[in-house]
């Protein structure tokens, strides 16, 4: 499954694995939300799902993750305020959905409050 995430200054596509969370997300598309930033992570409200086995707190830059405690898609592209040694450490364990097809550092152009849209690619 491929999704497209767009904001005023750009867009990225991502490939999602078949997981319960990715299926719930795709069923709810298109989604429009307001972006939040936390260090080098963009997150925004989407759907509400349960934590899956295999959820991880430390992920690679460009991972498409779902933060169940905040009902939000979490898109890290670098360190967050709680990272150690430059890793991508999310606020808490998150469901891993897939990864971006392009350079995740493009997310640095997202500003808090920017409108974000998620749709099928």
């Amino acid at each position: 499954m491929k999704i497209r995430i767009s904001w005023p200054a750009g867009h990225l596509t991502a490939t999602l694995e078949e997981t319960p969370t990715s299926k719930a997300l795709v069923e709810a598309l298109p989604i429009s939300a307001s972006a939040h930033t936390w260090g080098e992570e963009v997150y925004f409200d989407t759907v509400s799902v349960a934590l899956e086995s295999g959820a991880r707190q430390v992920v690679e830059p460009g991972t498409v993750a779902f933060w169940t405690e905040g009902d939000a898609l979490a898109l890290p592209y670098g360190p967050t305020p709680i990272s150690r040694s430059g890793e991508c450490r999310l606020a808490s364990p998150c469901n891993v959905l897939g990864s971006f097809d392009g350079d995740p550092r493009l997310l640095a152009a997202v500003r808090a409050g920017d409108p974000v849209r998620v749709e099928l690619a």
Side-chain angles (χ1 to χ4, degrees):
M1 293 183 283
K2 286 196 180 281
I3 60 170
R4 175 184 167 109
I5 300 172
S6 53
W7 61 94
H11 70 273
L12 279 167
T13 59
T15 301
L16 304 183
E17 303 298 322
E18 295 271 341
T19 70
T21 301
S22 63
K23 289 177 185 173
L25 177 67
V26 167
E27 286 175 11
L29 296 180
I31 293 172
S32 293
S34 183
H36 303 279
T37 59
W38 188 55
E40 293 186 6
E41 175 187 314
V42 173
Y43 68 99
F44 48 89
D45 298 342
T46 54
V47 295
S48 182
V49 297
L51 193 65
E52 297 177 11
S53 65
R56 298 193 322 247
Q57 188 169 13
V58 177
V59 297
E60 292 297 315
T63 297
V64 177
F66 192 89
W67 181 38
T68 60
E69 292 177 21
D71 293 335
L73 218 50
L75 310 173
Y77 58 92
T80 66
I82 62 170
S83 292
R84 302 176 195 146
S85 303
E87 70 192 2
C88 288
R89 182 175 292 268
L90 303 168
S92 59
C94 293
N95 297 341
V96 174
L97 308 184
S99 60
F100 283 107
D101 302 326
D103 182 0
R105 299 224 36 97
L106 292 174
L107 290 166
V110 178
R111 299 291 170 247
D114 275 355
V116 179
R117 181 173 169 88
V118 184
E119 58 197 344
L120 287 174

